[in-house]
């Protein structure tokens, strides 16, 4: 018999948080590559979208660390509904990246 109270939630959180943790290892390389791409010749009309993309990528670990700590603390305190929603907070960064990239290409900002 398992000592965990909500085994399904525990496995769900563990899977997502391990995946997000792995992305933190890739993050410095992606940030370095983005920094190198900033020196590429672009028209000045794309300055706003490039600045937003840098800020989005630079703040990605904040969402991952928030999800890891909040989900761990709330699971240990016996709150089982909030971690289902909070574990998906780091997914807001790729979604915002895609939206800014699309709007930057579409409207040239």
């Amino acid at each position: 018999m398992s000592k965990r109270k909500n085994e399904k939630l525990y496995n769900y959180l563990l899977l997502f948080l391990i995946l997000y943790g792995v992305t933190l290892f890739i993050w410095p390389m992606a940030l370095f590559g983005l920094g190198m791409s900033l020196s590429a010749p672009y028209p000045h009309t794309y300055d706003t979208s490039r600045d937003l993309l840098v800020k989005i990528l630079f703040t990605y670990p904040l969402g991952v660390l928030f999800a890891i700590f909040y989900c761990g603390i709330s699971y240990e305190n016996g709150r089982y509904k909030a971690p289902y929603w909070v574990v998906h907070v780091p997914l807001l960064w790729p979604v915002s990246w895609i939206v800014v990239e699309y709007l930057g290409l579409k409207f040239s900002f």
Side-chain angles (χ1 to χ4, degrees):
M1 184 86 181
S2 176
K3 293 182 181 181
R4 295 184 196 101
K5 297 199 181 210
N6 194 341
E7 187 75 26
K8 183 179 176 183
L9 174 66
Y10 178 80
N11 292 333
Y12 186 77
L13 292 176
L14 186 66
L15 172 72
F16 274 96
L17 295 178
I18 286 174
L19 289 174
Y20 295 150
V22 169
T23 62
L24 286 181
F25 288 115
I26 300 168
W27 176 75
M29 292 180 285
L31 192 62
F32 179 75
L34 184 66
M36 296 297 283
S37 72
L38 288 176
S39 64
Y42 281 105
H44 291 291
T45 56
Y46 293 111
D47 286 342
T48 305
S49 64
R50 288 191 313 160
D51 290 342
L52 285 173
L53 293 176
V54 169
K55 290 173 185 172
I56 290 168
L57 185 62
F58 191 71
T59 59
Y60 176 72
L62 297 175
V64 173
L65 293 175
F66 170 73
I68 289 172
F69 288 120
Y70 183 83
C71 290
I73 289 170
S74 62
Y75 181 83
E76 289 297 323
N77 289 336
R79 294 182 301 202
Y80 300 125
K81 290 185 181 182
Y84 273 119
W85 296 100
V86 173
V87 77
H88 298 296
V89 166
L91 294 177
L92 294 175
W93 272 261
V95 168
S96 62
W97 179 281
I98 291 168
V99 167
V100 168
E101 182 73 27
Y102 175 74
L103 293 177
L105 292 175
K106 182 87 170 167
F107 298 112
S108 300
F109 75 92

